[in-house]
Amino acid sequence: LEKAADRASSGDARLAMMLEIARIHDFELKDEAGAEEIYKAIRSTDPDSIEMLQFFRRVYRRRKSKKRAFNNLKHLHEVLLGPNNRKERVAVAVEMARLARNSLSDKDYAVEAWKRVLKDEPTHKEAHRELRRLYKDSHRWHAEVELLNQKLKLHAKSGMDEQLDILFEIIDIYQDPEKLGMEDMVVATYARVVELSPSNQRALDNLARKYRDTGKWNELVGVLRQRIEHTDDPEELLALFGEIARLYMERVESDPQAIPVLERMLELDPGNLEIIQRIRSAFKRKHSTWKLYETYQRELELLEGTDRAQVLVELARIATDELFKFNEAVEWWRKLLEVSPGDPRAISALEQLHAE
């Protein structure tokens, strides 16, 4: 074979014969030194020979030539192309990573190798576990978040609980001031939680708190409305609607948006005088005369005795001066006299109305 190899007319034929000779030395004659000499010659001709690289893989491992072993494995990984070699690529990359961790103590080499593993086998548990450990040890928080986001994609079709656990891990990294301390990303990730699980109380509560702290009132209203959609408790609903109404009236300064919310509160608690008075105040600011008139009447139904007096005065005034409902105005003044006999305002107004 050696003579035939020397006489071979083409490089490919000579290489094939040299590989066969090397195999004989290696497996038949158990002559590692002889095989190594031939494989070295092959390496000078065909440095990408998989068989040659596999030979040195075994040799360097046995000799504990750590750096040479790693570089040889790296080269081997790069020439194992195509889907048919995927499983072997994973095995080589895992060997690289363990060698980097256990023998070379080189974190960068280990990271590179584990990333190669995940490229071919995205669900590889050891690779995920080791990469997270390496990222934590080297304070590479952005890289850890990226790894968790990759893991999240893998769980896209699995159970919601696993996805939520990953998102909360990402939040922990973003909100820790000793890691990333990125409040905007904390909020964005809580929003991802709510998108995945609209009723998630932890995410909704935290989003609401952060929007309050940053004065993002419209965003806060959106979160509170989401909470409303996922609760049936009347007291909690009243509290949530109440906060939304206050935000519209005091922060957003939008009575038109506040009024429907207050009306919804009144449906839940029809006898709540405070709610009616807040509605009345909103209509007064809007100069919605007819609505204000109606709301005063609703308020009147909940009042007794002399507490009715001022509301009756307002009703009579609106009926007279703005709606020109003089007959109704007369009735309001008469009712005022029932609760406040001899009231000079009622007497004077009634005299004037009768005269007209």
Side-chain angles (χ1 to χ4, degrees), residues 36 43 52-78 91-104 109 113 116:
E36 183 174 3
R43 183 163 59 190
M52 174 271 296
L53 291 167
Q54 291 284 23
F55 169 80
F56 283 110
R57 178 185 183 183
R58 288 185 285 111
V59 169
Y60 291 148
R61 183 195 301 152
R62 185 180 59 76
R63 293 177 185 172
K64 298 183 179 179
S65 300
K66 302 167 187 177
K67 188 70 179 210
R68 285 185 176 181
F70 187 88
N71 289 332
N72 184 75
L73 288 166
K74 183 178 180 181
H75 193 169
L76 177 59
H77 186 274
E78 289 166 356
V92 170
V94 169
E95 189 173 339
M96 287 171 62
R98 291 173 179 167
L99 181 63
R101 178 190 63 195
N102 300 330
S103 300
L104 298 175
Y109 280 179
R116 289 179 184 231

Side-chain angles (χ1 to χ4, degrees), residues 148-149 151-171 189 192-193 195-197 200:
L148 287 168
N149 276 316
K151 188 176 179 182
L152 187 64
K153 289 178 182 178
L154 298 175
H155 286 275
K157 295 182 180 179
S158 64
M160 185 188 297
D161 289 344
E162 290 86 349
Q163 296 178 66
L164 291 175
D165 287 344
I166 294 168
L167 285 170
F168 282 121
E169 285 186 82
I170 293 172
I171 287 169
T189 311
R192 291 171 68 187
V193 172
E195 184 178 353
L196 177 65
S197 175
N200 190 283

Side-chain angles (χ1 to χ4, degrees), residues 25-189:
H25 277 282
D26 190 14
F27 296 109
E28 302 295 333
L29 302 178
K30 308 299 182 186
D31 177 12
E32 183 181 283
E36 183 174 3
E37 183 180 345
I38 298 168
Y39 277 124
K40 282 180 178 179
I42 292 170
R43 183 163 59 190
S44 65
T45 305
D46 181 15
D48 293 340
S49 167
I50 292 174
E51 188 172 330
M52 174 271 296
L53 291 167
Q54 291 284 23
F55 169 80
F56 283 110
R57 178 185 183 183
R58 288 185 285 111
V59 169
Y60 291 148
R61 183 195 301 152
R62 185 180 59 76
R63 293 177 185 172
K64 298 183 179 179
S65 300
K66 302 167 187 177
K67 188 70 179 210
R68 285 185 176 181
F70 187 88
N71 289 332
N72 184 75
L73 288 166
K74 183 178 180 181
H75 193 169
L76 177 59
H77 186 274
E78 289 166 356
V79 298
L80 287 167
L81 304 174
N84 292 335
N85 285 319
R86 185 190 67 81
K87 191 172 182 179
E88 180 63 9
R89 275 198 306 275
V90 170
V92 170
V94 169
E95 189 173 339
M96 287 171 62
R98 291 173 179 167
L99 181 63
R101 178 190 63 195
N102 300 330
S103 300
L104 298 175
S105 298
D106 192 309
K107 292 180 180 179
D108 289 337
Y109 280 179
V111 166
E112 177 192 350
W114 287 123
K115 287 170 75 173
R116 289 179 184 231
V117 173
L118 289 182
K119 187 174 181 180
D120 274 314
E121 193 175 322
T123 59
H124 197 285
K125 291 183 179 180
E126 184 182 3
H128 273 283
R129 184 177 63 252
E130 286 298 309
L131 272 175
R132 284 205 69 183
R133 182 184 63 79
L134 287 162
Y135 290 149
K136 285 177 185 293
D137 289 348
S138 54
H139 295 180
R140 295 170 65 177
W141 309 120
H142 284 291
E144 186 180 2
V145 168
E146 182 182 354
L147 180 66
L148 287 168
N149 276 316
Q150 291 172 3
K151 188 176 179 182
L152 187 64
K153 289 178 182 178
L154 298 175
H155 286 275
K157 295 182 180 179
S158 64
M160 185 188 297
D161 289 344
E162 290 86 349
Q163 296 178 66
L164 291 175
D165 287 344
I166 294 168
L167 285 170
F168 282 121
E169 285 186 82
I170 293 172
I171 287 169
D172 289 341
I173 296 170
Y174 277 135
Q175 70 185 2
D176 189 334
E178 294 185 359
K179 293 180 180 179
L180 292 179
M182 299 173 65
E183 279 299 306
D184 56 335
M185 294 307 299
V186 173
V187 171
T189 311

